[in-house]
Amino acid sequence: MKPSTVAEPGRARLSPRQKQRVTRIVQYVVLAIAAIGLVFYVDWPNLAQNFAKVEVARETLPELFTIALKNTVVYTLGGFILAFFFGLLFALMRMSQVAVYRWIATIYIEIFRGLPAVLIFIMITFLPVALPGFVLPFGIYGSVFLGLGVIGAAYQAEVFRAGLQAVPKGQTEAARSLGMSASRALFTVVVPQAVRIVIPPTTNQFVMLLKDSSLVLFLGVSSQYVELAKFGNDLASEHSNATPIMAAGITYLLVTIPLGYLARRLEKR
Amino acid sequence: MTTPHAIDVRNLHKSFGDNHVLKGIDFTIDPGQVVCVIGPSGSGKSTLLRCVNMLERPTEGKVFVEGVELTDPDVDIDAVRRRIGMVFQQFNLFPHMTALQNVMISQQRVLKRSKKEAEIIARENLDKVGVGAKCAARPAELSGGQQQRVAIARALAMNPDLMLFDEPTSALDPELVGDVLMVMRKLAEEGMTMMVVTHEMGFAREVADRVVFMDGGVIVEEGTPAQVIGDPQHERTRAFLRRVLHPEG
């Protein structure tokens, strides 16, 4: 030890270890005060009555899973498939030799990443009015697929662009040197590698779409099309009790937390 | 009419922005010849090699391969590249495919060989370079030397007329260099036309028909290995060889 760092004798200074101990004790004390405050100042029976009422919770079953969760998953998957393919298309357009394609892709991405998803969903409700005779396939499902797909494609395009750029230039060179055309090299060699690279961020995108599917709330759908958020909201109004919202929230977490965990696992690989 | 040169480069210039890398290269390789290009880093030797299959577009000048002008904008470059095998310093194997698939894919997609035929030819070539036992392995599971030999097999499976090697052993651990050089030596003995950018003076001396020394974007001198490596005429060549052969001074 260097002599200069030793406390001078006779001076009442705390050693680093003592300081650490004091800091830790202070933290525990603060925590204990907060916990005691919570226990005594919150009206627990009333809170439980409003957010975790067993009778109301029972009312949510089995539709919470058979209709609401099912629809959430269907909406998300449909939107995700659209987002995936159009995302790849816009990413390739953004890297195209043709300037007009690059502009179209850039404008699309900037617009739909910049707009709140709610706005898109509300606009979709006006589509049949604005375009008489225009019918989306799959009815309500089609509307939600479109809403989620339009937003998801903009984000997914940026994910794919990053993935495509992460594939080393030598890969394309090797493919071209073997006589592959530029497009064959792209689809045989570069895209398959890019897709692997983007699996973790794409999983996160999927979680984002899953949460955005709650915007079905703004479409005013009948009971067979409700997903978790609208299901929870409708039942909560009906019972004047927040328990169904809690149930919906927990159901979201049952899906999103494992997916987030999966994404982190894949990222490490 | 005489048979055309395998490679014929005329007054080749290449610039990257303000950086004038090749400053008028004239250079030919005849069928069956092995030519080693040596020189300090930054001398333009890799760029010259990459211009031969148009991975770099020359700024000025012409490149002919087997009589076909590659610098002609209307040439079908993919068709010409099929006849030119290329081996890279960093191997550039396709990491999402097994060794066997790496060697099969362009046979199937470019030459339209059947899967069965491509597999037979792939296995032959992997055996030939000594990695036949590694067919099912992914590139990440192979040593650098094995990867580079798979890369050579991948190029050979296309039945190229000539092979370009861009510092094929520079990224290898020293103990793995020998295996790759042995494969290249075997190819040379079979009569393959080869252009090799390399720092391996032993290989150049023993295998090359001709050695080209480049520095500062020009060919300083060329000739037989005995002339260029054994009895260099230019001071720049001598200085380079001194540094390479006696790095400790």
Side-chain angles (χ1 to χ4, degrees):
Chain A
M1 204 193 280
K2 288 182 210 153
S4 63
T5 59
V6 178
E8 288 170 38
R11 260 196 164 186
R13 268 185 142 183
L14 292 174
S15 75
R17 194 158 49 144
Q18 285 168 320
K19 267 191 212 158
Q20 250 181 25
R21 226 180 115 197
V22 169
T23 315
R24 203 174 305 139
I25 288 170
V26 168
Q27 289 183 47
Y28 280 125
V29 167
V30 169
L31 190 66
I33 291 172
I36 291 167
L38 269 178
V39 167
F40 284 103
Y41 288 95
V42 173
D43 182 353
W44 288 101
N46 190 41
L47 192 72
Q49 190 65 17
N50 278 286
F51 278 87
K53 197 173 176 184
V54 178
E55 302 90 82
V56 179
R58 219 172 269 146
E59 285 279 299
T60 66
L61 297 173
E63 289 84 4
L64 176 68
F65 296 109
T66 57
I67 295 179
L69 177 60
K70 186 209 83 182
N71 278 335
T72 290
V73 170
V74 170
Y75 289 142
T76 307
L77 280 176
F80 178 73
I81 290 167
L82 281 182
F84 190 89
F85 285 102
F86 282 95
L88 182 57
L89 180 69
F90 283 119
L92 292 174
M93 279 171 73
R94 194 153 188 188
M95 296 162 78
S96 164
Q97 309 270 352
V98 182
V100 181
Y101 279 146
R102 288 200 303 272
W103 300 337
I104 294 172
T106 306
I107 291 169
Y108 178 89
I109 291 165
E110 292 301 332
I111 287 178
F112 287 99
R113 280 201 315 170
L115 286 178
V118 182
L119 236 56
I120 312 288
F121 271 75
I122 295 172
M123 282 181 198
I124 285 174
T125 63
F126 285 96
L127 272 184
V129 186
L131 303 165
F134 175 81
V135 181
L136 279 168
F138 309 121
I140 291 289
Y141 286 112
S143 300
V144 181
F145 294 166
L146 180 69
L148 293 177
V150 156
I151 302 154
Y155 285 95
Q156 191 61 29
E158 289 296 90
V159 168
F160 271 126
R161 187 168 68 120
L164 289 166
Q165 285 171 344
V167 177
K169 212 168 123 252
Q171 292 289 310
T172 309
E173 290 182 351
R176 297 303 307 272
S177 79
L178 289 160
M180 290 188 200
S181 66
S183 59
R184 191 178 292 288
L186 183 66
F187 287 106
T188 311
V189 173
V190 180
V191 169
Q193 293 184 53
V195 167
R196 280 171 177 76
I197 293 171
V198 303
I199 285 174
T202 300
T203 311
N204 291 329
Q205 286 297 312
F206 187 87
V207 171
M208 195 190 84
L209 286 185
L210 188 99
K211 292 189 289 180
D212 279 350
S213 68
S214 61
L215 295 167
V216 165
L217 208 55
F218 290 87
L219 292 185
V221 297
S222 56
S223 62
Q224 75 199 89
Y225 294 115
V226 297
E227 44 61 67
L228 286 168
K230 179 145 176 61
F231 177 81
N233 186 52
D234 290 356
L235 270 186
S237 323
E238 193 182 306
H239 294 272
S240 301
N241 188 290
T243 307
I245 294 286
M246 286 293 283
I250 290 167
T251 312
Y252 274 116
L253 293 178
L254 286 178
V255 183
T256 53
I257 289 176
L259 277 176
Y261 181 73
L262 179 72
R264 280 192 299 280
R265 280 280 299 270
L266 292 169
E267 248 160 45
K268 271 186 207 153
R269 288 235 315 249
Chain B
M1 188 181 149
T2 53
T3 49
H5 297 294
I7 298 171
D8 186 350
V9 172
R10 297 181 197 165
N11 188 33
L12 190 71
H13 289 259
K14 174 69 187 178
S15 303
F16 297 99
D18 292 336
N19 189 9
H20 204 169
V21 179
L22 296 178
K23 302 170 181 164
I25 303 281
D26 289 280
F27 160 86
T28 62
I29 297 182
D30 286 326
Q33 270 192 332
V34 176
V35 174
C36 285
V37 183
I38 61 173
S41 54
S43 60
K45 54 195 192 307
S46 280
T47 305
L48 170 62
L49 186 91
R50 289 163 59 84
C51 281
V52 172
N53 68 353
M54 294 288 120
L55 283 183
E56 301 293 352
R57 290 236 151 241
T59 317
E60 196 189 321
K62 288 182 174 175
V63 176
F64 297 84
V65 167
E66 301 182 318
V68 177
E69 189 194 332
L70 305 196
T71 32
D72 174 357
D74 290 326
V75 79
D76 179 0
I77 188 67
D78 296 332
V80 181
R81 280 181 180 147
R82 271 168 233 168
R83 306 207 303 267
I84 309 173
M86 174 133 183
V87 175
F88 298 84
Q89 183 177 354
Q90 298 297 337
F91 330 133
N92 295 350
L93 290 180
F94 307 135
H96 56 304
M97 301 179 189
T98 64
L100 187 67
Q101 287 168 333
N102 262 279
V103 186
M104 286 170 67
I105 185 75
S106 53
Q107 296 186 63
Q108 292 172 272
R109 298 293 161 83
V110 178
L111 300 180
K112 307 291 176 197
R113 285 178 186 155
S114 71
K115 190 176 175 203
K116 213 172 145 193
E117 192 188 1
E119 181 170 347
I120 292 169
I121 294 171
R123 285 184 188 279
E124 277 172 15
N125 281 291
L126 286 166
D127 281 338
K128 180 177 178 176
V129 298
V131 286
K134 297 285 179 185
C135 283
R138 304 245 169 191
E141 298 157 2
L142 299 173
S143 74
Q146 289 167 333
Q147 286 190 58
Q148 192 59 296
R149 284 181 285 156
V150 173
I152 293 173
R154 177 174 71 176
L156 290 177
M158 301 294 284
N159 302 111
D161 297 339
L162 56 135
M163 291 278 287
L164 308 176
F165 292 86
D166 187 5
E167 303 199 24
T169 57
S170 298
L172 297 178
D173 290 337
E175 76 272 20
L176 303 175
V177 168
D179 292 337
V180 171
L181 290 181
M182 204 160 70
V183 169
M184 292 169 61
R185 195 181 294 248
K186 196 157 87 180
L187 271 181
E189 282 162 10
E190 289 170 6
M192 177 62 77
T193 310
M194 293 162 63
M195 177 173 174
V196 186
V197 170
T198 188
H199 293 291
E200 297 293 334
M201 291 306 136
F203 178 83
R205 203 192 314 246
E206 289 164 43
V207 181
D209 298 302
R210 217 164 81 237
V211 173
V212 173
F213 173 73
M214 282 181 70
D215 192 13
V218 296
I219 291 176
V220 176
E221 71 179 289
E222 60 179 310
T224 63
Q227 289 168 337
V228 178
I229 300 175
D231 183 26
Q233 299 302 302
H234 290 260
E235 179 45 39
R236 280 199 277 179
T237 319
R238 274 184 229 131
F240 170 74
L241 288 169
R242 263 199 306 277
R243 283 199 304 275
V244 174
L245 299 174
H246 311 287
E248 266 104 72

